[in-house]
C-alpha cells in the first residue's frame, strides 16, 4: 500500500494524458457513475475533516459538476446545510440526474450567485481538468463575486478557470483555499503562476491501475514530482565501511570577490553540509583569511586578483589541475570580471555546476555554442531572469516553466534547474523533476548560493556511483527546500536568512532518520 502511494505521488499528468488514462478505465468496464460515486465519497470524507457545517456548492455542466452534486448529497445526509449554485441550464446526462435527485431531497439550487445564502464554506465544482477557453460574461462575474466573499473555497480537481497544463488563469479563476486533485497530480499544480489559486493541495487517490498509467505515460514517466522517497534513494549517499576523504568526493568551489565575500562563504557552507569528503575553495587572495576562519577544514586556495577584487586567474596548488577534482561549482560572488578564467573551467572534463555570475559569463559567451564543447555533465541553476539571458530564444518561463526548462535542457545538453516556488529540473533527454514543496522563506539573498554548494558536494560524492546527475540535482533541490521549510517552522519565514538555512540542512537528514 505504501509503495503504491509513493509511486502515485510522483506521477504528473497533462489534461490529454488524464483523458487517455480515464478512457482506458472506462473502456475496461468501469462505469462512469460508479467512479463518480467513489471519487465524491472520498472528497466528502475530506471535506468533513477540513470545513464547517453549512456549504454553498458551485455546479458545472460536466462531470466535475456531477462530482460536486454527489458531494452535496452526501453532506446533506450527514446533516450539513447545503445550497447549490449553478449558472448553467444544460448538463451532461449523469450530472443532470444527480441534480434532479439533489433537488428531490429539498436541496435548493440558485441561478443568481447573489441569492446564495450565507454559509461557512464553498465547494467549487464548476469546471474540472481540461478547460481551455477563457471564462467570460456572467460566469466570470460570478467567480469574481465568490472570490470576494471571503469564504474558504474547496475546489474539486483544479480551481475553475486554471489551465490544467500551464497554470494560466483563463480570464478569471476561483481562488481556492484547498484543492482536492483527483487521481493523479495535474501539471498546473507544479506551475508557479497557479499556486496562489490552488491553496493547500491534496491528492485524492481513487486507485487508478498502474498498468493504465504506464501505458499512457511510459516507464519512467517524463515528468515526476520529487518526494521524500525519491530523495532518500540518493540521500544520504551510500558510504562503505572502509573509505577515506578523497573517495567521498573532492569538490572545488570557484567563487567570491572582494565585493562579494559572502557568496563564497555561503556556497562553501552548503557544500560542507553535503558531507563531501574534501572541499577546496578558490577565492581571491584577499578573501583567504575570512574563508579560513569560517571553514577551517577546507583547503582555501588564494588566487591572484584583478584591481576590482575578482579572481584574475586560477592558481591551484603544485601538481594539481582541474582534473584532480570530482566536481566544480562556480559562480556565486564571482563578478563578471572573472570571465578570463572561464575557458579553462568550461574545458574541464569533470562535472560542473554554474550559478550566478557563472551563468552571466556563460550567457555572454553564448550558452549553446559554449556548452557544445563540453563532454562532462554540466548543471545550470538559473532564476527566471538568468534563464532569459541564457536562453533568449525560449519562450518566457513565467508562462510555462515546465516547457521552458525542458527546451533549455534539450537544446543545451545540460541539466537545467530553474529556480522558483516549484523548482523544475530537466535533463538533455527532456525528463523533468519538479520539487512540489517550498517556502517563501527561501526568497532571501544567498539561499541560491547554499543550493549551489549542496549540488556540487553531492555531485562530487556521486562521481564514482551510477546515479544520474539529474537525480542528484533533484535531491539537492528537495533537501534545500526542506531545510527552508524546517527553519521557517522554527524561526518564522522572516527569520530564515541564508546563513541560518545552512544550519538546518543536517537536521533535515536527522529527521528523516528518525521517521
Amino acid at each position: 500500500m505504501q509503495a503504491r502511494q509513493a509511486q502515485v505521488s510522483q506521477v504528473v499528468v497533462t489534461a490529454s494524458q488524464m483523458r487517455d488514462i480515464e478512457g482506458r478505465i472506462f473502456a475496461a468496464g468501469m462505469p462512469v457513475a460508479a467512479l463518480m460515486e467513489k471519487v465524491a465519497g472520498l472528497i466528502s470524507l475530506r471535506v468533513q475533516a477540513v470545513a464547517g457545517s453549512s456549504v454553498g456548492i458551485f455546479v458545472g455542466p460536466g462531470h466535475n459538476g456531477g462530482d460536486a452534486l454527489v458531494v452535496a448529497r452526501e453532506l446533506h445526509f450527514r446533516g450539513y446545510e447545503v445550497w447549490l449554485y449553478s449558472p448553467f441550464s444544460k448538463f451532461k446526462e449523469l450530472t443532470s440526474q444527480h441534480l434532479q435527485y439533489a433537488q428531490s431531497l429539498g436541496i435548493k439550487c440558485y441561478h443568481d450567485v447573489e441569492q446564495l445564502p450565507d454559509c461557512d464554506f464553498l465547494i467549487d465544482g464548476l469546471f474540472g481538468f481540461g478547460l481551455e477557453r477563457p471564462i467570460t460574461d456572467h460566469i466570470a462575474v460570478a467567480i469574481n463575486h465568490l472570490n470576494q466573499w471571503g469564504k474558504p473555497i474547496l475546489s474539486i480537481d483544479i480551481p475553475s478557470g486554471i489551465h490544467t497544463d500551464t497554470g494560466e488563469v483563463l480570464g478569471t479563476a476561483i481562488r481556492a483555499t484547498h484543492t482536492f486533485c483527483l487521481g493523479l497530480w495535474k501539471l498546473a499544480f507544479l506551475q508557479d503562476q497557479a499556486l496562489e489559486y490552488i491553496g493547500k493541495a491534496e491528492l485524492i487517490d481513487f486507485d487508478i491501475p498502474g498498468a493504465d498509467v504506464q501505458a499512457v505515460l511510459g516507464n519512467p514517466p517524463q515528468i515526476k514530482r520529487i518526494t521524500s522517497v525519491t530523495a532518500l534513494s540518493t540521500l544520504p549517499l551510500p558510504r562503505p565501511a572502509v573509505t577515506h576523504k578523497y573517495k567521498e568526493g573532492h569538490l572545488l568551489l570557484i567563487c567570491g570577490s572582494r565585493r562579494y565575500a559572502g557568496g563564497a562563504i555561503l556556497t562553501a557552507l552548503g557544500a560542507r553540509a553535503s558531507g563531501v569528503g574534501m572541499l577546496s575553495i578558490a577565492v581571491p587572495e584577499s578573501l583567504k583569511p575570512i574563508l579560513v576562519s569560517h571553514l577551517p577544514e577546507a583547503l582555501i586556495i588564494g588566487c591572484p586578483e584583478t584591481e576590482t577584487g575578482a579572481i584574475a586567474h586560477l592558481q591551484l596548488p603544485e601538481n594539481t589541475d582541474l582534473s584532480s577534482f570530482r566536481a566544480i561549482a562556480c559562480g556565486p560572488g564571482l563578478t563578471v570580471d572573472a570571465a578570463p578564467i572561464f575557458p579553462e573551467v568550461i574545458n574541464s572534463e569533470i562535472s560542473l555546476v554554474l550559478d550566478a555570475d557563472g551563468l552571466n559569463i556563460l550567457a555572454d559567451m553564448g550558452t549553446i555554442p559554449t556548452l557544445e564543447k563540453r563532454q562532462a555533465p554540466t548543471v545550470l541553476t538559473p532564476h527566471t531572469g538568468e534563464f532569459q539571458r541564457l536562453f533568449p530564444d525560449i519562450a518566457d518561463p513565467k508562462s510555462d516553466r515546465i516547457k521552458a526548462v525542458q527546451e533549455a535542457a534539450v537544446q543545451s545538453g545540460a541539466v537545467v534547474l530553474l529556480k522558483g516556488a516549484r523548482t523544475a529540473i530537466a535533463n538533455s533527454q527532456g525528463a523533468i523533476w519538479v520539487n512540489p514543496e517550498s517556502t517563501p522563506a527561501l526568497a532571501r539573498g544567498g539561499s541560491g548560493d547554499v543550493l549551489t554548494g549542496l549540488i556540487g558536494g553531492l555531485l562530487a560524492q556521486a562521481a564514482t556511483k551510477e546515479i544520474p546527475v539529474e537525480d542528484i540535482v533533484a535531491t539537492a533541490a528537495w533537501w534545500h527546500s526542506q531545510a527552508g521549510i524546517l527553519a521557517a517552522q522554527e524561526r518564522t519565514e522572516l527569520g530564515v536568512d541564508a546563513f541560518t538555512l545552512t544550519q538546518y540542512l543536517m537536521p533535515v537528514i536527522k529527521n528523516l532518520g528518525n521517521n
Side-chain angles (χ1 to χ4, degrees):
M1 181 66 175
Q2 288 182 340
R4 174 193 152 71
Q5 290 176 341
Q7 185 176 21
V8 168
S9 69
Q10 291 182 38
V11 176
V12 183
V13 292
T14 64
S16 175
Q17 290 167 339
M18 192 66 196
R19 285 193 199 96
D20 290 344
I21 291 169
E22 287 191 345
R24 289 179 61 88
I25 295 171
F26 297 139
M30 165 63 82
V32 175
L35 185 59
M36 186 177 288
E37 289 289 334
K38 179 173 185 175
V39 168
L42 293 170
I43 295 170
S44 299
L45 291 174
R46 292 302 303 131
V47 167
Q48 293 172 64
V50 300
S53 59
S54 61
V55 57
I57 300 181
F58 323 148
V59 180
H63 286 164
N64 194 254
D67 292 338
L69 286 165
V70 178
V71 171
R73 183 196 71 203
E74 292 302 301
L75 294 179
H76 170 77
F77 286 145
R78 284 161 177 75
Y80 283 71
E81 288 187 275
V82 180
W83 299 282
L84 306 176
Y85 160 68
S86 182
F88 304 96
S89 57
K90 293 183 179 180
F91 302 85
K92 282 191 173 183
E93 182 179 359
L94 184 56
T95 303
S96 179
Q97 291 172 350
H98 282 302
L99 177 59
Q100 179 182 342
Y101 184 55
Q103 290 177 309
S104 77
L105 296 173
I107 300 174
K108 291 185 178 180
C109 183
Y110 299 90
H111 300 291
D112 183 346
V113 69
E114 294 188 4
Q115 293 179 340
L116 191 66
D118 188 37
C119 50
D120 294 333
F121 66 103
L122 304 168
I123 294 178
D124 162 33
L126 289 174
F127 303 107
F129 76 87
L131 182 70
E132 295 184 347
R133 297 189 306 274
I135 296 175
T136 59
D137 302 329
H138 66 288
I139 300 176
V141 171
I143 287 177
N144 293 334
H145 175 81
L146 293 166
N147 284 337
Q148 294 168 8
W149 212 5
K151 302 290 183 181
I153 304 179
L154 285 58
S155 283
I156 296 175
D157 202 16
I158 189 167
S160 295
I162 295 296
H163 192 286
T164 309
D165 298 345
T166 68
E168 176 189 0
V169 176
L170 298 170
T172 190
I174 290 289
R175 289 183 177 271
T177 50
H178 202 119
T179 300
F180 301 110
C181 185
L182 304 183
L184 297 168
W185 289 107
K186 313 304 186 297
L187 192 52
F189 287 76
L190 302 176
Q191 299 276 20
D192 282 8
Q193 60 186 333
L195 298 186
E196 64 179 287
Y197 293 85
I198 286 170
K200 181 179 180 181
E202 182 176 347
L203 184 68
I204 301 294
D205 179 7
F206 57 79
D207 302 316
I208 296 174
D212 291 324
V213 175
Q214 186 171 325
V216 174
L217 302 185
N219 188 24
Q222 190 174 51
I223 304 173
K224 294 188 286 187
R225 297 167 78 250
I226 307 169
T227 67
S228 59
V229 173
T230 56
L232 277 172
S233 67
T234 59
L235 181 67
L237 293 167
R239 206 170 259 198
V242 179
T243 188
H244 58 74
K245 60 187 177 184
Y246 290 108
K247 278 191 175 182
E248 299 311 322
H250 190 178
L251 172 65
L252 173 65
L253 299 181
I254 306 173
C255 47
S257 61
R258 192 186 309 147
R259 191 185 312 165
Y260 302 119
I265 295 168
L266 292 169
T267 307
L269 291 175
R272 169 201 269 175
S274 75
V276 68
M278 186 64 193
L279 178 60
S280 294
I281 311 170
V283 293
E285 182 68 38
S286 60
L287 265 62
K288 189 171 180 178
I290 190 171
L291 265 294
V292 169
S293 68
H294 280 85
L295 294 108
E297 79 283 4
L299 173 61
I300 311 301
I301 304 168
C303 298
E305 56 189 89
T306 67
E307 291 182 1
T308 59
I311 296 175
H313 64 265
L314 293 176
Q315 186 169 287
L316 300 177
E318 188 176 355
N319 299 322
T320 301
D321 59 25
L322 293 182
S323 65
S324 304
F325 305 94
R326 291 283 177 80
I328 302 170
C330 177
L334 202 61
T335 78
V336 294
D337 290 344
I341 71 172
F342 248 64
E344 182 181 359
V345 173
I346 290 293
N347 292 331
S348 66
E349 297 180 355
I350 58 176
S351 296
L352 172 63
V353 185
L354 294 177
D355 184 34
D357 283 317
L359 299 175
N360 293 327
I361 296 170
L362 176 64
D364 290 340
M365 296 172 68
T367 305
I368 305 301
T370 301
L371 293 182
E372 284 176 347
K373 302 173 187 176
R374 279 189 55 78
Q375 300 298 315
T378 306
V379 179
L380 310 179
T381 62
H383 55 58
T384 302
E386 291 165 339
F387 183 95
Q388 290 172 315
R389 290 194 289 276
L390 288 166
F391 304 102
D393 297 329
I394 293 178
D396 186 351
K398 295 189 187 74
S399 61
D400 188 343
R401 57 190 290 105
I402 305 301
K403 182 180 179 181
V405 75
Q406 184 180 51
E407 290 183 8
V410 171
Q411 287 186 24
S412 67
V415 172
V416 181
L417 178 150
L418 178 57
K419 296 171 182 173
R422 295 294 177 264
T423 291
I425 300 118
N427 69 7
S428 59
Q429 287 76 49
I432 299 169
W433 285 109
V434 186
N435 186 20
E437 293 184 305
S438 190
T439 169
L442 292 175
R444 298 283 292 270
S447 64
D449 300 340
V450 176
L451 176 60
T452 299
L454 193 59
I455 294 172
L458 291 179
L459 283 178
Q461 293 173 74
T464 59
K465 301 176 174 69
E466 295 182 0
I467 303 174
V469 170
E470 61 271 20
D471 288 4
I472 293 294
V473 176
T475 291
W478 177 88
W479 188 0
H480 180 261
S481 69
Q482 290 298 314
I485 291 168
L486 182 61
Q489 290 172 348
E490 295 190 5
R491 299 232 181 179
T492 77
E493 290 179 355
L494 296 179
V496 188
D497 58 89
F499 180 78
T500 297
L501 176 66
T502 66
Q503 298 174 315
Y504 281 83
L505 289 166
M506 292 315 300
V508 169
I509 306 305
K510 183 178 179 181
N511 288 350
L512 286 173
N514 293 335
N515 292 335

